[in-house]
Amino acid sequence: MTRRYFPIGVINLVTNGILLPKMDEEFWDICHAQQIDVCPTKYPIKVDYKNLEKKAEEKRVKYHYFGDATGCMWTHKVIDISGSRFENCSFMYCPNANLCPVLKHGKIFPCPTARHIDKFNKAYNTELHICEKDYIDIYKIDKLEDIMNFLTKPIPFCRYCNTPAIKETDWGISKGDIAEWT
Ligand code: SF4
């Protein structure tokens, strides 16, 4: 469907790669037929990247790494559950804003943090609030510029992000402790 709407654009399937070894032949055939590049990020996890490279070559699918996080540090986002940060300041220091917008169910969020905060709320029994101004509904806009204007400004949810405090930490298995995020 994406190829239908973007007949000549580059389409990159960016993924952590965990499920790639389980994808069936049809997946690889579609990637080849629709000219979709498969772009995993290498993480220090048990994924046989060499085998994936071989598979992509065999299926004549373009394959390249989006990033290589093996042996790297992990960017530790800092959530302020009180929601008392200045939105403009959070946005100004944010490494995610405009870099990784998320479209889901017709709504565009400027970052994965706001879009997936429901998972955080569920895991830690918190109530970080999303409102209608935190996303733009693609079915309610008049022109492309509306999206571009939306993405260049802070959203109310930015008050939950302590972006100046973002730090690098070692990779490791999560203990499921909220302190890993705050
Ligand atoms: S909510 Fe705002 S500050 Fe937080 S990650 Fe998203 S864009 Fe950045």
Side-chain angles (χ1 to χ4, degrees):
M1 190 184 289
T2 307
R3 176 56 74 208
R4 197 188 311 153
Y5 288 105
F6 298 92
I8 57 170
V10 173
I11 301 177
N12 285 340
L13 178 69
V14 178
T15 167
N16 60 26
I18 293 174
L19 295 178
L20 278 180
K22 295 184 183 163
M23 300 314 280
D24 58 17
E25 296 297 309
E26 190 187 6
F27 164 80
W28 293 99
D29 290 340
I30 290 174
C31 288
H32 170 69
Q34 302 300 333
Q35 296 175 31
I36 294 166
D37 296 13
V38 174
C39 314
T41 294
K42 270 187 180 175
Y43 288 108
I45 53 176
K46 285 182 190 160
V47 172
D48 188 342
Y49 294 108
K50 280 278 161 232
N51 207 35
L52 288 174
E53 289 170 22
K54 227 169 91 189
K55 184 74 184 176
E57 194 179 349
E58 176 194 315
K59 299 302 260 182
R60 291 184 293 148
V61 170
K62 273 198 202 164
Y63 179 98
H64 47 90
Y65 292 101
F66 181 76
D68 185 347
T70 50
C72 285
M73 305 288 275
W74 172 245
T75 304
H76 177 153
K77 292 197 179 67
V78 182
I79 303 279
D80 179 344
I81 55 174
S82 74
S84 58
R85 315 302 305 180
F86 286 114
E87 293 155 17
N88 286 352
C89 178
S90 300
F91 189 77
M92 192 168 71
Y93 284 97
C94 180
N96 272 337
N98 293 318
L99 180 69
C100 194
V102 181
L103 168 66
K104 194 164 183 188
H105 301 318
K107 293 169 183 162
I108 298 178
F109 289 76
C111 61
T113 308
R115 173 59 190 89
H116 301 304
I117 204 63
D118 54 327
K119 308 270 188 303
F120 181 92
N121 282 334
K122 193 171 167 203
Y124 300 114
N125 203 21
T126 52
E127 291 181 359
L128 277 60
H129 184 62
I130 287 290
C131 69
E132 283 192 355
K133 290 187 175 164
D134 287 315
Y135 56 82
I136 188 161
D137 190 325
I138 61 171
Y139 298 110
K140 293 183 181 166
I141 57 167
D142 299 321
K143 50 193 184 312
L144 179 65
E145 283 73 25
D146 292 348
I147 297 176
M148 305 312 282
N149 287 334
F150 170 76
L151 290 175
T152 55
K153 297 188 186 89
I155 55 173
F157 190 86
C158 295
R159 71 189 187 281
Y160 289 112
C161 293
N162 186 358
T163 47
I166 285 176
K167 54 195 175 206
E168 302 275 297
T169 53
D170 286 329
W171 270 89
I173 296 172
S174 170
K175 295 184 176 64
D177 188 335
I178 196 169
E180 293 167 7
W181 296 94
T182 55

